[in-house]
Amino acid sequence: MDFGLTEEHLMIRDAARDFARTELLDGVIERDEKQSFPDELVKKMGDLGFMGIMVDPKYGGSGMDAISYVLIMEELSKIDASASVIVSVNNSLVCYGLESYGTEEQKQKYLTKLATGEFVGAFCLSEPEAGSDATSQATTAIDKGDHYVINGTKNWITNGGRSDVYLVIAQTDREKGHRGINAFIVEKGMEGFEIGPKEDKLGIRGSDTHTLQFNDVKVPKENRIGEDGFGFKFAMKTLSGGRIGIAAQALGIASGAYELALKYSKERKAFGTEICNHQAIAFKLADMFVEIEAARHLVMKAAWDKDQGNNYDQSSAMAKLYASKVAMEQSVEAVQIHGGNGFVKEYHVERMMRDAKITQIYEGTSEIQKIVISRSLIKG
Ligand code: CAA
């Protein structure tokens, strides 16, 4: 057993930390207020290799491992969780899905651009009536010989208004249930594909979340991913890796809020001394640190499982369940340590507290993670 990071991992972590502090920090409050998408920063993250972290260099990616992905996600999320979810969805849902299950033509046409940040991708599974219950897809894709015709609505789609490539899950044969679901590559601008209203959100407001409408969208047959009927398994397998990304995002929100709280507690004075010298605050810091380290171990274990080629369905669900709880609870504590200043935007922790909530919801709610974990325990 080795808990140490390699020299290369440390360099990658430092590069992400440096980028987050020098590029993401500036304007993060304004992007949150105005719900503005960081277009320029996405390009810069592409140049740094953050949009295709685990993708093979032959497709334009950085060829790094899942541990590196987690380190980058944590550092970006410490400063700007809106930017990090753009990275997470592009990497672990879209690039991973295409690289693992796409054809060579699909990889050449789409992955090479997604991995460099030239394109941004979105993953379209959720619907008005199919959130947690993901097999209940109402969106249909009817086989017309050389193409499919897609009709339906997708909800809460991250990168929804800003993507070039959309992986869309749809029902092709209702009688076959989840075995009659397929995944398709839909391009921005295809006739009948409309980007609906942008959501006005509690947190991660700098990310772009939309409803999408598909009205008789003709998608060539070569845009189907995998064998006929593979779509639901595609979504499940892809989401297992996605959950590692969101767990790392939650870890970053928690550790970022903790670092701010620690710093503040060493500067702010009350009753004649820095507040970290009061046991009420010191014990909070100790509890925060222990919880964050416990989350870190689960997140790293899930990434390690992925790197080792082990099954990571259970470990990614555990990491996401726990890290998102830690992010929520410890960001509230960070606000509390900041007192009145914690309620003010310029101190950042109130935004982190708002951003933390979504990590308990997207890519499977905490309740869904418990379904995944308990089923794997019972199955043995
Ligand atoms: N890998 C491979 N196959 C899997 C799998 C996995 N991890 N998990 C399930 N499957 C297979 C099952 O084996 C089964 O296939 P067979 O019948 O052939 O054996 C099939 O999928 C159906 O599985 P279940 O019977 O377990 O299906 P279920 O209806 O009970 O649902 C669920 C399972 C885990 C609850 C699933 O519906 C789920 O994960 N729901 C949450 C969806 C979700 O995470 N949504 C997030 C939206 S995306 C997002 O948020 C992105 C963003 O923009 C940030």
Side-chain angles (χ1 to χ4, degrees):
M1 190 176 287
D2 182 0
F3 285 101
L5 292 172
T6 63
E7 280 298 313
E8 200 185 342
H9 285 141
L10 291 171
M11 275 173 54
I12 290 161
R13 186 194 66 187
D14 290 349
R17 183 174 293 175
D18 189 51
F19 172 79
R21 288 180 183 171
T22 55
E23 299 276 358
L24 290 182
L25 185 58
D26 187 31
V28 65
I29 294 173
E30 197 184 346
R31 290 194 296 276
D32 172 70
E33 270 172 13
K34 297 189 173 157
Q35 291 217 104
S36 51
F37 187 85
D39 290 290
E40 282 307 309
L41 292 167
V42 170
K43 290 281 166 243
K44 286 184 182 175
M45 291 193 286
D47 293 343
L48 283 168
F50 294 170
M51 296 302 278
I53 296 167
M54 294 168 288
V55 175
D56 191 317
K58 74 177 176 189
Y59 299 116
S62 304
M64 296 189 233
D65 58 9
I67 297 281
S68 306
Y69 174 48
V70 159
L71 292 170
I72 293 168
M73 279 299 296
E74 181 184 356
E75 293 303 325
L76 301 181
S77 308
K78 279 184 186 176
I79 304 290
D80 185 356
S82 294
S84 74
V85 74
I86 299 165
V87 169
S88 183
V89 168
N90 198 71
N91 272 278
S92 47
L93 298 184
V94 183
C95 287
Y96 174 80
L98 282 172
E99 188 169 20
S100 303
Y101 306 108
T103 62
E104 189 54 32
E105 290 70 34
Q106 290 168 350
K107 290 178 201 180
Q108 292 298 342
K109 189 167 177 193
Y110 302 108
L111 181 60
T112 50
K113 293 192 168 115
L114 287 159
T116 56
E118 185 183 338
F119 277 4
V120 173
F123 183 82
C124 313
L125 173 68
S126 303
E127 299 187 350
E129 302 299 329
S132 291
D133 184 8
T135 55
S136 295
Q137 293 288 305
T139 297
T140 53
I142 304 302
D143 190 342
K144 297 281 184 185
D146 64 343
H147 67 275
Y148 286 88
V149 174
I150 303 186
N151 278 288
T153 305
K154 294 289 174 182
N155 265 27
W156 313 296
I157 304 304
T158 305
N159 300 339
R162 284 300 209 284
S163 287
D164 305 274
V165 174
Y166 297 77
L167 305 189
V168 179
I169 315 296
Q171 190 83 47
T172 43
D173 186 342
R174 199 160 299 287
E175 290 195 349
K176 290 187 182 160
H178 68 77
R179 294 193 187 99
I181 290 175
N182 275 293
F184 301 92
I185 303 165
V186 175
E187 292 175 29
K188 179 176 78 179
M190 278 182 165
E191 207 180 328
F193 173 32
E194 285 167 26
I195 294 163
K198 179 170 171 150
E199 301 291 356
D200 189 3
K201 302 179 303 222
L202 172 73
I204 56 157
R205 290 170 55 82
S207 74
D208 193 52
T209 312
H210 285 259
T211 296
L212 305 176
Q213 197 70 46
F214 301 85
N215 302 311
D216 290 331
V217 181
K218 274 174 74 171
V219 178
K221 208 148 214 180
E222 62 263 25
N223 281 26
R224 193 184 74 207
I225 302 172
E227 293 295 307
D228 187 20
F230 179 63
F232 190 71
K233 290 196 177 171
F234 170 81
M236 291 297 106
K237 284 170 180 282
T238 307
L239 277 166
S240 279
R243 288 167 186 163
I244 299 176
I246 300 305
Q249 181 191 40
L251 175 64
I253 295 170
S255 57
Y258 160 78
E259 285 172 14
L260 289 175
L262 177 66
K263 181 169 177 287
Y264 184 82
S265 75
K266 290 178 175 178
E267 293 164 359
R268 172 79 179 177
K269 287 189 176 161
F271 305 102
T273 183
E274 288 78 15
I275 60 172
C276 62
N277 296 322
H278 296 298
Q279 198 178 62
I281 301 298
F283 279 16
K284 271 191 198 302
L285 292 168
D287 285 339
M288 288 173 87
F289 189 74
V290 172
E291 288 296 309
I292 291 165
E293 282 303 292
R296 185 185 311 286
H297 283 76
L298 284 174
V299 175
M300 286 298 179
K301 170 63 168 52
W304 182 84
D305 274 339
K306 186 164 190 287
D307 286 336
Q308 296 302 310
N310 300 338
N311 184 303
Y312 49 92
D313 294 341
Q314 190 199 65
S315 56
S316 63
M318 285 167 60
K320 183 180 180 292
L321 175 68
Y322 196 73
S324 62
K325 176 174 169 283
V326 169
M328 195 65 253
E329 291 174 358
Q330 304 317 323
S331 59
V332 170
E333 287 295 73
V335 171
Q336 191 69 16
I337 290 172
H338 279 75
N341 283 329
F343 216 60
V344 174
K345 285 184 190 287
E346 69 177 279
Y347 285 84
H348 297 285
V349 284
E350 64 81 32
R351 185 186 70 256
M352 292 169 147
M353 185 182 83
R354 289 186 284 106
D355 288 350
K357 186 61 210 168
I358 192 63
T359 66
Q360 295 182 301
I361 297 172
Y362 59 20
E363 300 205 20
T365 61
S366 296
E367 292 74 14
I368 290 296
Q369 306 314 321
K370 290 183 189 178
I371 291 179
V372 173
I373 297 162
S374 59
R375 282 186 183 172
S376 79
L377 294 177
I378 293 160
K379 201 169 134 202

